[in-house]
Amino acid sequence: MEWFDPNVISSSLPEFWRGLWMTVQLTVFSLVVGFAFAIPLSVARVSRNPWVSRPISAYTYFFRGTPMLVQLLLIYYGVGQSEWMQQQWEAGNSFWLLFRDAYFCAMLAFSLNTCAYQLEMFAGAIRNVPHGEVEAAEAMGMTRYTALCRIVLPSALRRAIPPLSNEVILMLQGSAIASAVTLVDLTGAARNVYSRHYAPFEAFIFAGLLYLAVTFVLVGLFRFAESRWLAHLQPLSASAKQD
């Protein structure tokens, strides 16, 4: 086909693989960091103490209410230009070097963003844990902390799997903005191939297929997780009801 030259893709495969690896790194690391902070923050989010829950609510409101691209640019360009950061540079503190590193800024922005979404998912799942499970734990003599660790959080995490799968896929696709701060992720690789060969169809169609392949793998993993840990919540089939 005149409008599609496979040679452009074959000659650019190493660049696409490097971009894909960068995308996978950013997605996985930010999700893991966000998950690690989302668990304790979600417990604080459902606290009845407003001094604990309201600051977390304000954090989620900001990061869920503003575009992730704006957050990334604020961290990469804004924090590094702040007066406090300039003082760190003048004092010879190496801390300011972190905010000059595009990889660190992207990781920080993505982690803060996905943490906000994940903690709201987990907080909602904690609120929806059946009260009977909590009562059963109390009847067995468990303390509130023990019931939280052994009953409430495991039950909430299982119920949060379906919305978490959506967040993981959205995070994968949202990581495409990393090229805005000079990182060569999968989208950045496609842009480089396009600018070098003037072949937009080849560059972006192949990048889209790679995103689609990774998404397909993620969907399969989450379906397996749902079938393993949420089987007891699935509706019974007609034959099972008759039995």
Side-chain angles (χ1 to χ4, degrees):
M1 292 184 292
E2 294 182 357
W3 59 272
F4 193 91
D5 184 4
N7 293 325
V8 172
I9 297 176
S10 60
S11 63
S12 306
L13 279 178
E15 189 168 2
F16 276 113
W17 297 139
R18 288 192 296 270
L20 177 61
W21 175 237
M22 175 64 71
T23 293
V24 171
Q25 283 186 64
L26 291 172
T27 303
V28 172
F29 291 164
S30 60
L31 286 168
V32 170
V33 173
F35 180 86
F37 284 96
I39 296 299
L41 289 176
S42 64
V43 176
R45 179 71 177 87
V46 299
S47 172
R48 296 180 181 179
N49 187 342
W51 294 101
V52 175
S53 61
R54 286 182 181 176
I56 298 174
S57 177
Y59 157 68
T60 60
Y61 183 81
F62 174 80
F63 279 95
R64 298 202 306 163
T66 56
M68 188 161 62
L69 178 59
V70 173
Q71 299 162 16
L72 175 60
L73 295 178
L74 281 174
I75 292 175
Y76 184 66
Y77 294 108
V79 175
Q81 299 299 321
S82 65
E83 182 180 354
W84 179 82
M85 193 61 67
Q86 294 297 327
Q87 292 174 354
Q88 299 299 310
W89 175 75
E90 293 173 358
N93 194 332
S94 60
F95 176 74
W96 74 281
L97 291 173
L98 291 174
F99 289 91
R100 293 192 61 187
D101 181 47
Y103 187 84
F104 172 80
C105 291
M107 281 288 302
L108 179 60
F110 294 168
S111 298
L112 290 172
N113 183 274
T114 189
C115 179
Y117 281 94
Q118 289 187 55
L119 81 86
E120 286 292 349
M121 293 175 194
F122 298 148
I126 290 173
R127 295 188 187 100
N128 291 329
V129 170
H131 191 62
E133 295 183 10
V134 180
E135 290 180 339
E138 293 175 349
M140 294 181 64
M142 292 186 185
T143 64
R144 180 174 297 181
Y145 176 79
T146 303
L148 176 68
C149 295
R150 294 186 179 181
I151 305 297
V152 177
L153 281 180
S155 179
L157 291 177
R158 287 195 299 269
R159 296 171 191 275
I161 290 176
L164 183 61
S165 65
N166 294 331
E167 169 58 17
V168 171
I169 294 171
L170 289 174
M171 191 68 245
L172 169 68
Q173 297 171 356
S175 67
I177 65 173
S179 57
V181 291
T182 71
L183 288 177
V184 184
D185 65 334
L186 184 53
T187 301
R191 287 178 177 173
N192 291 343
V193 172
Y194 162 58
S195 63
R196 186 166 60 249
H197 297 280
Y198 300 101
F201 287 104
E202 293 86 342
F204 292 109
I205 287 177
F206 188 67
L209 290 175
L210 291 177
Y211 277 113
L212 191 63
V214 177
T215 301
F216 181 79
V217 172
L218 291 174
V219 170
L221 291 174
F222 275 99
R223 284 185 177 176
F224 173 77
E226 290 180 24
S227 65
R228 182 178 178 85
W229 289 298
L230 291 178
H232 64 289
L233 297 179
Q234 300 297 325
L236 295 175
S237 62
S239 59
K241 291 180 180 179
Q242 291 176 359
D243 294 340

